[in-house]
Amino acid sequence: MKKIAIFPGSFDPFTKGHHDIVLRGLSLFDELIIGIGYNVAKKTRYFEIEDMVNKIKTLYKDEPKVKVIIYNELTSSLAKKHNANFLLRGLRNTTDFEYENTISQMNRKLNPELETVFLITSPHFAAVSSTVIREVHKFGADISEYIPYEV
């Protein structure tokens, strides 16, 4: 059976930290689906979702194991649709763990076949967060050090 994982997130924007998790996840899974979801807690996106999809697809154009999709449903339901038995998540700190652990428990309740795999963020990406990157970009500062594509 193929090991298919979904790497879900709003990816607003997709950072070098996310890229690091994808690259490391490729050694664990036969297929990795980057699922760009709509976060109900966020009213609007900073970076257009279609633009982000195109940038991520271009980044992985030579990697056949990676697919990029947009979704607007429960991640546990998305996993069932794509025959994915794994969710891939990155953890920067204990705050991330507490948040992700709660989500992981609910996903497992909704889809008992779904395992969440946590990868600890590489140390040099631990301070990189999409929220901070958006704020820095909003005020005109250079964010190229933190993202794996051109803005």
Side-chain angles (χ1 to χ4, degrees), residues 5 28 36 44 46 49 61 88 106 115 117 131-132 142 144:
L28 302 172
I36 304 176
T44 60
Y46 183 76
I49 199 164
K61 70 182 184 312
L88 177 62
M106 181 55 74
E115 287 288 350
V117 175
T131 303
V132 172
D142 181 21
S144 60

Side-chain angles (χ1 to χ4, degrees), residues 120-137:
I120 304 300
T121 302
S122 296
H124 50 286
F125 297 122
V128 178
S129 89
S130 293
T131 303
V132 172
I133 302 306
R134 285 192 306 271
E135 191 75 11
V136 168
H137 186 264

Side-chain angles (χ1 to χ4, degrees), residues 2-138:
K2 276 178 74 171
K3 291 187 290 184
I4 302 170
I6 294 180
F7 183 30
S10 58
F11 303 117
D12 189 19
F14 188 86
T15 68
K16 285 186 177 179
H18 296 129
H19 181 55
D20 178 58
I21 297 297
V22 168
L23 294 178
R24 291 166 52 209
L26 287 173
S27 68
L28 302 172
F29 303 106
D30 300 312
E31 186 178 327
L32 188 55
I33 301 166
I34 300 170
I36 304 176
Y38 290 92
N39 186 333
V40 295
K42 297 176 185 174
K43 301 278 189 244
T44 60
R45 291 184 59 91
Y46 183 76
F47 292 96
E48 291 293 326
I49 199 164
E50 290 296 340
D51 188 39
M52 198 53 49
V53 167
N54 291 333
K55 289 186 182 308
I56 298 169
K57 281 183 176 179
T58 300
L59 184 63
Y60 298 109
K61 70 182 184 312
D62 296 325
E63 181 47 72
K65 291 170 60 172
V66 174
K67 287 201 278 190
V68 183
I69 62 170
I70 296 171
Y71 74 103
N72 193 13
E73 63 186 296
L74 291 173
T75 304
S76 59
S77 300
L78 178 73
K80 284 180 186 176
K81 282 184 183 174
H82 289 273
N83 298 314
N85 286 334
F86 302 95
L87 293 181
L88 177 62
R89 299 298 294 153
L91 299 175
R92 293 170 298 183
N93 51 44
T94 56
T95 303
D96 281 356
F97 173 78
E98 291 296 329
Y99 176 75
E100 294 293 343
N101 183 48
T102 302
I103 293 172
S104 166
Q105 303 276 339
M106 181 55 74
N107 280 327
R108 182 74 183 227
K109 177 90 171 141
L110 296 170
N111 180 350
E113 303 298 314
L114 194 56
E115 287 288 350
T116 301
V117 175
F118 296 116
L119 294 181
I120 304 300
T121 302
S122 296
H124 50 286
F125 297 122
V128 178
S129 89
S130 293
T131 303
V132 172
I133 302 306
R134 285 192 306 271
E135 191 75 11
V136 168
H137 186 264
K138 180 179 177 182

